[in-house]
């Protein structure tokens, strides 16, 4: 059952930022019957009959944000997130489409699961869901899924994210088959022999806490291997959540050799270094881990110089028990003065699930880069909309007449404080609690319908 689309919305006097068309100017945008009906200089459209007029003066009007990497935990883990809550959180964060990873239970490795995900999403008035198919059955790393059948069911990206594909022959075969279908493969790059039982980045912080560290080499060595495979296969390959300086150097070098490589960085990898673990403990634990301040600098530089193509949240909701909060919560504090952990707590931190929620903080964190002059507003929109839409092979990433109206209205200057208790996501695991951010989504429009209205939310 699809709703009858009758709404007309006039976004009046906003700053339209559309990097695909190199537009950055004040415009009126009229949305009608699910599509962009007109984009004109201010005042020219008047007030079309029956239109809801939204005063967008002082706001940015941008093509809907697209996140190429989220975990919605559905099917399988309703205590962490569902497709409904995840897509609503996405809309609140300004996202009009999100790519939902395959590490659900059951894994999304059959058309049946893909169709289940799309059916759940269709029943929610929120962001769109773009299914990501597993590369290997059950994420087992051995037997390839039926890629053509998954594309027919609606998959737009392939990834075993969460688990690296260790077998080179399996991966090379997957790269070639997926490329032939016209899609990309997204790789979670980790050499688990080097990660061993590491819980946080190897360095000062892991030493201070007395926990095993994850060396930068666990990521860079696997990226080095897979870039060589990608060049050999001539296939489009996407590297997920790049976190180290050397990884970025390797990507630059591979591109010079003709590799069709894209890559993403997460807000936490450009906004936090591993010292955040001393404050937030399990809520700052993820894979790859938060890295050194030098690596963070390198990630920001790579965002600025274009090496990093897009920002992805890696939204990874977890319930408190999965994070071992019952054993660890009291050990970490805002003072960041946590010392060597007792043996049993080292074990708890090691067992604590990886990842943080990110959909409702990503835009505010990306805007930090804009406000401090590291990137332009247009570059931010390119990274959070255009490039991700291109990776996923979906419409969007730009706003043109007669295109589907997926639009985000951003107030770049409103100041607010992150309060996980107010997240629409079901989970609260965020190391950004209490952080003052400047800017957020005010209105999210999907196919011409308002799916999130910030004016009706209260966030102080
Ligand atoms: Zn991953």
């Amino acid at each position: 059952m699809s709703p009858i689309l009758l709404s007309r919305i006039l976004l009046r006097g906003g700053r339209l930022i559309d990097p695909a068309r190199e537009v950055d100017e004040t415009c009126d945008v009229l949305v009608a019957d699910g599509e962009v009906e007109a984009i004109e200089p201010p005042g020219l459209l008047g007030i079309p009959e029956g239109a809801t007029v939204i005063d967008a003066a002082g706001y940015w009007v941008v093509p809907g944000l697209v996140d190429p990497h989220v975990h919605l935990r559905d099917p399988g883990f309703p205590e962490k997130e569902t497709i409904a809550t995840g897509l609503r959180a996405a809309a609140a964060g300004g996202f009009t489409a999100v790519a939902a990873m395959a590490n659900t239970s059951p894994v999304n490795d059959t058309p049946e699961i893909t169709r289940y995900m799309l059916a759940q999403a269709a029943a929610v008035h929120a962001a769109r869901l773009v299914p990501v198919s597993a590369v290997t059955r059950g994420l087992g790393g051995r037997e390839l899924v039926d890629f053509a059948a998954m594309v027919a069911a609606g998959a737009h990206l392939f990834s075993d994210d969460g688990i690296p594909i260790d077998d080179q022959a399996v991966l090379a075969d997957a790269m070639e088959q997926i490329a032939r279908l016209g899609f990309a493969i997204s790789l979670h790059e980790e050499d688990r022999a080097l990660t061993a039982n590491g819980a946080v980045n190897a360095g000062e912080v892991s030493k201070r806490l007395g926990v095993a560290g994850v060396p930068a080499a666990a990521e860079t060595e696997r990226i080095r291997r897979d870039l060589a495979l990608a060049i050999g296969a001539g296939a489009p390959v996407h590297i997920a959540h790049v976190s180290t300086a050397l990884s970025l150097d390797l990507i630059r070098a591979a591109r010079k050799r003709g590799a069709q490589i894209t890559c993403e960085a997460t807000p936490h990898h450009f906004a936090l270094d591993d010292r955040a673990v001393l404050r937030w403990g399990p809520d700052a634990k993820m894979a790859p881990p938060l890295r050194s301040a030098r690596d963070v600098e390198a990630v920001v530089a790579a965002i600025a110089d274009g090496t990093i193509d897009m920002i992805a949240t890696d939204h990874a909701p977890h319930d408190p028990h999965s994070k071992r909060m019952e054993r660890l919560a009291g050990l970490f504090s805002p003072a960041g003065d946590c010392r060597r952990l007792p043996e049993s707590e080292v074990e708890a931190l090691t067992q604590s699930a990886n990842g943080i929620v990110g959909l409702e903080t990503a835009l505010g964190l990306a805007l930090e880069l804009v406000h401090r002059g590291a990137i332009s507003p247009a570059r931010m929109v390119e990274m959070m909309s255009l490039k991700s839409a291109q990776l996923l092979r979906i419409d969007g990433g730009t706003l043109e007449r007669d295109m589907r109206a997926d639009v985000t209205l951003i107030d770049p200057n409103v100041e607010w404080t992150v309060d996980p208790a107010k997240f629409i996501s079901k989970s609260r695991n965020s190391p950004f609690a209490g952080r003052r951010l400047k800017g957020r989504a005010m209105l999210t429009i999907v196919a011409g319908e308002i799916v999130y209205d910030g004016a009706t939310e209260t966030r102080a």
Side-chain angles (χ1 to χ4, degrees):
M1 190 184 74
S2 58
I4 303 159
L5 302 171
L6 286 172
S7 62
R8 301 183 101 187
I9 302 166
L10 179 67
L11 300 168
R12 195 161 61 175
R15 176 179 171 186
L16 178 64
I17 303 173
D18 185 356
R21 299 190 297 123
E22 294 183 20
V23 169
D24 186 345
E25 62 197 19
T26 304
C27 288
D28 289 351
V29 176
L30 179 64
V31 165
D33 295 334
E35 294 182 344
V36 176
E37 188 173 294
I39 300 173
E40 296 289 350
L44 221 62
L45 292 167
I47 296 180
E49 202 189 326
T52 304
V53 179
I54 290 165
D55 180 6
Y59 294 166
W60 299 350
V61 178
V62 308
L65 306 184
V66 178
D67 187 341
H69 189 156
V70 304
H71 299 273
L72 298 184
R73 310 300 190 206
D74 187 354
F77 308 96
E79 70 282 11
K80 297 174 194 276
E81 197 81 283
T82 64
I83 284 170
T85 59
L87 294 180
R88 284 193 198 107
F95 293 97
T96 55
V98 296
M101 285 294 169
N103 63 341
T104 47
S105 180
V107 167
N108 183 25
D109 58 5
T110 60
E112 186 192 352
I113 300 299
T114 302
R115 284 193 291 265
Y116 161 83
M117 291 164 73
L118 288 170
Q120 294 292 305
V124 186
H125 194 62
R128 294 170 188 277
L129 184 149
V130 180
V132 180
S133 165
V135 175
T136 65
R137 291 235 181 254
L139 310 179
R142 294 179 186 280
E143 191 193 341
L144 298 183
V145 305
D146 183 340
F147 300 130
M150 295 304 279
V151 168
H156 275 257
L157 183 69
F158 293 87
S159 182
D160 275 3
D161 184 64
I163 301 178
I165 299 170
D166 291 333
D167 189 310
Q168 298 192 45
V170 168
L171 179 56
D173 193 3
M175 281 181 183
E176 284 180 19
Q177 286 193 38
I178 292 165
R180 231 175 287 139
L181 290 167
F183 290 88
I185 183 171
S186 171
L187 299 175
H188 171 111
E189 301 293 52
E190 180 182 342
D191 182 333
R192 288 180 289 183
L194 293 170
T195 305
N197 61 343
V200 301
N201 184 46
E204 297 285 311
V205 170
S206 64
K207 281 182 202 144
R208 179 161 156 178
L209 293 175
V211 304
V214 178
E219 175 178 305
T220 56
E221 287 313 296
R222 183 49 63 90
I223 287 182
R224 190 193 304 275
R225 184 197 81 171
D226 290 351
L227 290 172
L229 287 176
I231 291 169
V237 169
H238 180 73
I239 312 284
H241 43 51
V242 175
S243 72
T244 82
L246 184 56
S247 298
L248 293 159
D249 289 342
L250 293 170
I251 289 165
R252 290 183 183 103
R255 281 184 177 147
K256 282 192 188 143
R257 295 281 169 200
Q260 300 172 58
I261 301 297
T262 53
C263 67
E264 68 189 33
T266 69
H268 43 277
H269 287 115
F270 67 69
L272 295 174
D273 62 45
D274 58 356
R275 287 168 296 182
V277 177
L278 300 173
R279 290 186 66 183
W280 299 104
D283 280 346
K285 178 178 186 268
M286 64 282 289
L290 296 176
R291 298 292 189 183
S292 70
R294 276 189 168 182
D295 288 311
V296 173
E297 246 172 64
V299 168
V300 172
I303 285 171
D305 74 15
T307 303
I308 291 170
D309 300 281
M310 60 201 89
I311 291 171
T313 63
D314 194 4
H315 178 76
H318 285 296
D319 56 289
H321 174 67
S322 299
K323 280 290 190 184
R324 299 293 184 270
M325 292 308 272
E326 66 276 14
R327 285 168 65 187
L328 295 167
L331 296 170
F332 299 89
S333 76
D337 52 6
C338 186
R339 297 282 162 184
R340 180 167 283 271
L341 296 176
E343 201 58 45
S344 61
E345 272 66 28
V346 168
E347 194 195 333
L349 189 61
T350 307
Q351 291 167 350
S352 168
N354 285 316
I356 65 167
V357 288
L359 283 167
E360 293 166 81
T361 49
L363 177 56
L365 292 163
L367 282 164
E368 285 186 349
L369 298 175
V370 175
H371 290 308
R372 68 190 220 225
I375 56 170
S376 68
R379 171 77 180 129
M380 188 198 82
V381 175
E382 180 184 65
M383 288 202 300
M384 296 187 79
S385 179
L386 177 63
K387 294 288 187 173
S388 313
Q390 287 171 344
L391 171 74
L392 298 173
R393 278 70 166 156
I394 59 170
D395 290 345
T398 183
L399 289 174
E400 278 184 87
R401 223 194 126 128
D402 297 334
M403 262 189 83
R404 188 179 66 210
D406 287 359
V407 189
T408 304
L409 192 65
I410 296 169
D411 180 343
N413 292 315
V414 62
E415 293 192 35
W416 60 288
T417 303
V418 178
D419 178 1
K422 292 183 181 167
F423 285 161
I424 292 169
S425 167
K426 264 196 179 181
S427 290
R428 305 283 171 257
N429 49 309
S430 170
F432 296 111
R435 191 159 172 138
R436 287 293 285 174
L437 294 177
K438 196 174 162 194
R440 64 181 182 88
M442 293 305 291
L443 200 70
T444 307
I445 297 172
V446 171
E449 297 288 310
I450 294 171
V451 296
Y452 171 77
D453 183 352
T456 64
E457 300 283 318
T458 47
R459 261 188 227 200

